[in-house]
């Protein structure tokens, strides 16, 4: 048996989604730009999918631009705005963004952009007031993620949207982790990024929502697909898969109950801390640190027990070790390396005690090996 | 968030059943290397009789490779003379484990360093 607790990394494609996708591979395989019947049929499929997605988020059809996923959507948002509005050279973002935002910003810095990376408090939440203070005449866009991929904290994006609207600055949010899980009022959001593979659709598909009237240019040029904003033959199986995945039941409430039960169980282990706000947190995320041990070792032991998790301790290179997100919220040295991220799916329901017990067993084993004993500092 | 590091069977076996792991009462010498900031800390404790390593124990906070190399290093030097033990390098330890993934080679430095340092510390007090 495997219990997959890494749904923030990617999700399994649900059978009903896979079935639809399969049909597009083998039967309706045409190119939507072809004028014959097989092409026309495929064009219809894309239109249907786009319509369904637009209705789901309360947008217009022309506001959905399909891309290859979250990374490309984030690139299109920032680089596309930069290209279309070359007179504005200032971007505001946060230190806890996904690398597809952070690295894009760093790249833009090289071509003369000034980027403000704002911090977060110890709960992992951004201060809207700070953004308000930083906005200037020169500001092109504010880009703040909706839900953080490591600690699951939910940012006040609707409030940030209001501030940006008032200041007449574009607001983009990386909605990859929150999409379909948490309702989002898009009234004051100019652009947001979505990725299919986080919501049980295939990998390599996503979209960027671009509000009507936004001044943006393509960064991929060619045949002019997607309203000239993203050239390239459409990934029709992906597009249909993404639209079909909207019908999948997330089982939010059940998963949330499991999550809370697991957290309760884990906190009974000495020297355990939950990282990030519990109040403003997506329902399936647990980010937990255990004193005095190292995450990779723990992850590997859990893998042996059939539990798939990820660790914030990136012990792969001597330099880039601890998670920049955990560092940003000020997790202490002897906790930061022993961190695990558990992002739950429906297969955890009913297996909560198994998960708690295995984690407890392995933490205790690693603590036996470790020179740092929580009991010693606890007694002080 | 990283994962996907392919460890061989021997590394995993030492990781799961570390040899000479634990605390030692009244060691003749000890040394700690690494630092908590980096997430790797290794402590070696020695009992030395007649210039030989009679007993050795380690404690490690670190990745799979750090724990496995600690185990292997202590296994190699137990019973050896001080002069023999001093010569053990991280390459010897890595070799004894078969192979380490390239990005994990630096982890094998910890055990060899701790051992050398412990021996130096012993000499100081000798
Ligand atoms: C917050 C966030 N943004 C962007 C991405 C990138 O999405 P994709 O894998 O579709 O490129 C991810 C996924 O890793 C993510 O978690
Ligand atoms: S001890 Fe640093 S990666 Fe292994």
């Amino acid at each position: 048996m495997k219990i997959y607790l890494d749904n923030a990394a990617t999700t399994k494609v649900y059978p009903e989604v896979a079935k639809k996708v399969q049909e597009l591979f083998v039967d309706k395989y045409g190119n939507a730009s072809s004028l014959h019947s097989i092409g026309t049929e495929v064009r219809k499929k894309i239109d249907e999918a786009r319509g369904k997605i637009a209705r789901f988020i309360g947008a217009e059809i022309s506001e959905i631009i399909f891309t290859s996923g979250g990374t490309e959507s984030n690139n299109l948002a920032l680089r596309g705005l930069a290209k279309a509005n070359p007179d504005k050279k200032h971007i505001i973002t946060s230190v806890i963004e996904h690398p597809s935002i952070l690295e894009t910003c760093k790249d833009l810095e090289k071509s003369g952009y000034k980027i403000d990376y704002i911090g977060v408090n110890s709960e992992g939440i951004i201060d809207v007031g700070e953004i308000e203070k930083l906005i200037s005449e020169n500001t092109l866009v504010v880009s703040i993620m909706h839900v953080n991929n490591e600690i699951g904290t939910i940012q006040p994006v609707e409030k940030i949207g209001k501030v940006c609207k008032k200041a007449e600055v574009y607001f983009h949010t990386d909605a990859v982790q929150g999409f379909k899980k948490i309702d989002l009022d898009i009234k004051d959001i100019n652009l947001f990024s979505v990725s299919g593979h986080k919501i049980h659709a295939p990998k390599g598909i996503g979209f960027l929502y671009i509000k009507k009237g936004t001044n943006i240019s393509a960064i991929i040029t060619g045949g002019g697909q997607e309203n000239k904003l993203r050239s390239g033959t459409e990934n029709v199986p992906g597009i249909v898969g993404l639209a079909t995945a909207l019908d999948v039941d997330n089982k939010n409430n059940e998963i949330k109950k499991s999550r809370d039960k697991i957290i309760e169980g884990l906190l009974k282990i000495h020297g355990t801390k939950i990282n990030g706000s519990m109040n403003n947190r997506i329902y399936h995320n647990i980010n937990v640190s255990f004193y005095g041990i190292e995450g990779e070792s723990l992850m590997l032991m859990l893998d042996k027990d059939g539990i798939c998790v990820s660790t914030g301790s990136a012990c792969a290179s001597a330099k880039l070790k601890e998670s920049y997100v955990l560092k940003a919220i000020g997790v202490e040295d002897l906790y930061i390396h022993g961190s695990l991220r558990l992002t739950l799916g429906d297969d955890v329901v009913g297996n909560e005690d198994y998960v708690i017990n295995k984690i407890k067993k392995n933490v205790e084993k690693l603590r036996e090996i470790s020179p740092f004993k929580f009991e010693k500092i606890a007694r002080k | 968030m990283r994962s996907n590091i392919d460890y061989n069977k021997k590394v995993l076996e030492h990781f799961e059943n570390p040899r000479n792991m634990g605390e030692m009462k009244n060691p003749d010498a000890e040394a700690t290397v690494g630092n908590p900031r980096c997430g790797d800390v290794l402590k070696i404790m020695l009992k030395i009789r007649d210039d030989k390593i009679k007993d050795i124990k380690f404690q490690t906070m670190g990745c799979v490779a750090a724990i496995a190399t600690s185990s292997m290093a202590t296994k190699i030097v137990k019973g050896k003379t001080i002069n023999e033990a001093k010569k053990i390098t991280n390459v010897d330890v890595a070799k004894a484990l078969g192979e380490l993934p390239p990005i994990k080679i630096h982890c094998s430095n910890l055990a060899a360093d701790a051992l050398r340092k412990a021996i130096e510390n012993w000499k100081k007090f000798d």
Side-chain angles (χ1 to χ4, degrees), chain A residues 314-322, chain B residues 2 38 40 103-104 106:
Chain A
C315 203
S317 80
K319 260 192 227 149
L320 230 180
K321 287 188 49 127
E322 68 267 289
Chain B
R2 63 139 292 282
C38 308
D40 324 307
I103 51 163
K104 289 291 179 177
H106 75 274

Side-chain angles (χ1 to χ4, degrees), chain A residues 220-290:
Chain A
I220 296 179
T221 48
Q225 289 90 343
E226 295 302 302
N227 214 2
K228 295 205 173 65
L229 278 172
R230 203 282 188 175
S231 287
T233 300
E234 296 89 342
N235 172 2
V236 191
I239 290 170
V240 172
L242 179 48
T244 311
L246 296 179
D247 298 329
V248 171
D249 177 10
N250 275 348
K251 306 212 172 81
N252 301 13
N253 290 331
E254 279 164 272
I255 293 174
K256 185 178 186 303
K257 269 187 211 141
S258 291
R259 196 268 313 259
D260 293 342
K261 188 172 172 193
I262 292 175
I263 289 182
E264 201 188 311
L266 294 181
L267 284 174
K268 289 191 184 132
I269 305 171
H270 289 301
T272 303
K273 283 187 182 171
I274 299 294
N275 301 313
S277 166
M278 271 313 295
N279 294 326
N280 293 299
R281 189 188 202 98
I282 197 162
Y283 62 83
H284 75 326
N285 175 290
I286 303 175
N287 191 304
V288 60
S289 282
F290 303 100

Side-chain angles (χ1 to χ4, degrees), chain B residues 71-83:
Chain B
S71 167
M72 182 51 97
T74 57
K75 184 184 163 204
I76 293 175
V77 299
K78 194 168 172 178
K80 289 225 160 52
T81 65
I82 291 296
N83 273 332

Side-chain angles (χ1 to χ4, degrees), chain A residues 8 68-71 74 98 100 145 147 149 174 176-177 195 197-198:
Chain A
S68 66
T71 300
N74 285 341
H98 186 265
S100 52
M145 71 199 323
V147 174
N149 44 303
D174 175 348
V176 166
Q177 291 290 343
S195 173
H197 73 97
K198 312 282 185 184

Side-chain angles (χ1 to χ4, degrees), chain A residues 124-144:
Chain A
I125 307 288
I126 274 145
D127 173 12
V128 185
E130 199 175 335
I131 295 177
E132 208 164 2
K133 277 188 220 136
L134 285 168
I135 292 178
S136 74
E137 292 250 292
N138 197 25
T139 307
L140 170 70
V141 58
V142 174
S143 178
I144 300 290

Side-chain angles (χ1 to χ4, degrees), chain A residues 160-174:
Chain A
I160 301 171
K162 275 204 184 73
V163 166
C164 291
K165 191 176 193 176
K166 211 172 124 214
E168 293 182 23
V169 166
Y170 288 126
F171 177 51
H172 165 255
T173 184
D174 175 348

